[in-house]
Amino acid sequence: MSDLSNFPITARWPAKHPDRLQLYSLPTPNGVKVSIMLEEIGLAYEVHLIDFGKDDQKTPEFLSLNPNGKIPAILDPNGPGGAALGLFESGAILQYLAEKTGKLLPSDAARRWETIQWVHFQMGGIGPMFGQVGFFHKFAGKEFADKRPLERYVAESKRLLGVLEVRLAGRQWIMDDDYTIADIASLGWVRNLIGFYGARELVGFDDFGNVSAWLDRGLARPAVQRGLEIPKRP
């Protein structure tokens, strides 16, 4: 185990348990990927709230760990070779934790890469497109007279839901009977689209029966329920 005091972020958010993985996050669709993952695999961790209302993500201490100024980020005192490792980008963190613990990522090489491709599908498609729907439908975008941006992102979100709908036909999870990081990556975003963003009717979500049933199965998992509330908002 490495000394975490060498990392500037710990000056602002001290580690009470420096032997545990440190999570710096907020319960957004990206943030909860990692908290859900940690709850699912049972790895001991300590959580630190990054309060966007206080611009915590813009502080020098946070930027020293994640120069992109986004959540989530982690600091693992027990990284590869026993050295501490800091990581940002939720997809990379999911893969790291899966490989570290041997959980929620198939050991078979072909199925492993198939799982990872669906994580990237979320990172490159579902997250950005659903987020734009949220902006143009729920937030400042509704003030724009030109509705073409919203229409574009709604259409693309419907297309992505259609891809997921086809994939889930006859499957319990994205990787058949195996619940994996591919599911964890997308659950929070689909939940947010129809919940917080209020876009259920806008994207015709009820037409995607396989996706709806998959979401219900995911949200019924105790670890998912816990992870969705970590860390507590201020």
Side-chain angles (χ1 to χ4, degrees), residues 28-218:
T28 67
N30 282 331
V32 299
K33 293 178 199 174
V34 179
S35 52
I36 289 172
M37 179 66 173
L38 288 166
E39 290 294 314
E40 289 280 11
I41 62 180
L43 188 66
Y45 69 100
E46 180 178 351
V47 64
H48 305 276
L49 174 72
I50 304 303
D51 190 344
F52 284 6
K54 297 179 180 178
D55 285 340
D56 283 348
Q57 77 279 15
K58 299 178 182 179
T59 61
E61 295 88 352
F62 186 77
L63 292 171
S64 70
L65 181 60
N66 183 359
N68 195 34
K70 303 290 185 180
I71 58 92
I74 64 168
L75 183 54
D76 185 0
N78 302 297
L85 175 68
L87 278 181
F88 63 92
E89 285 297 330
S90 57
I93 296 171
L94 286 179
Q95 186 175 344
Y96 170 72
L97 292 174
E99 294 188 358
K100 175 184 175 73
T101 61
K103 297 179 179 179
L104 302 183
L105 184 63
S107 57
D108 174 78
R111 286 183 60 79
R112 175 179 176 272
W113 283 111
E114 189 177 355
T115 304
I116 291 171
Q117 79 176 350
W118 284 103
V119 173
H120 283 271
F121 170 77
Q122 181 279 309
M123 299 292 292
I126 284 179
M129 295 302 105
F130 288 12
Q132 293 292 352
V133 169
F135 174 80
F136 284 100
H137 178 61
K138 183 180 177 69
F139 298 111
K142 64 175 57 179
E143 300 172 0
F144 296 180
D146 188 347
K147 299 305 177 186
R148 285 175 296 179
L150 174 61
E151 291 169 357
R152 169 180 169 79
Y153 292 122
V154 167
E156 182 63 5
S157 294
K158 288 182 177 179
R159 188 190 70 80
L160 292 167
L161 286 169
V163 173
L164 200 53
E165 177 76 4
V166 172
R167 175 63 184 182
L168 289 166
R171 292 182 170 91
Q172 183 177 16
W173 305 108
I174 291 174
M175 291 301 295
D176 307 308
D177 290 332
D178 296 329
Y179 173 79
T180 69
I181 58 174
D183 301 290
I184 293 175
S186 290
L187 280 169
W189 274 107
V190 176
R191 172 181 178 264
N192 222 54
L193 179 69
I194 64 173
F196 183 66
Y197 290 159
R200 187 183 196 107
E201 294 184 7
L202 188 67
V203 300
F205 185 75
D206 292 333
D207 294 334
F208 303 98
N210 296 332
V211 177
S212 180
W214 163 83
L215 179 63
D216 288 344
R217 284 192 293 273

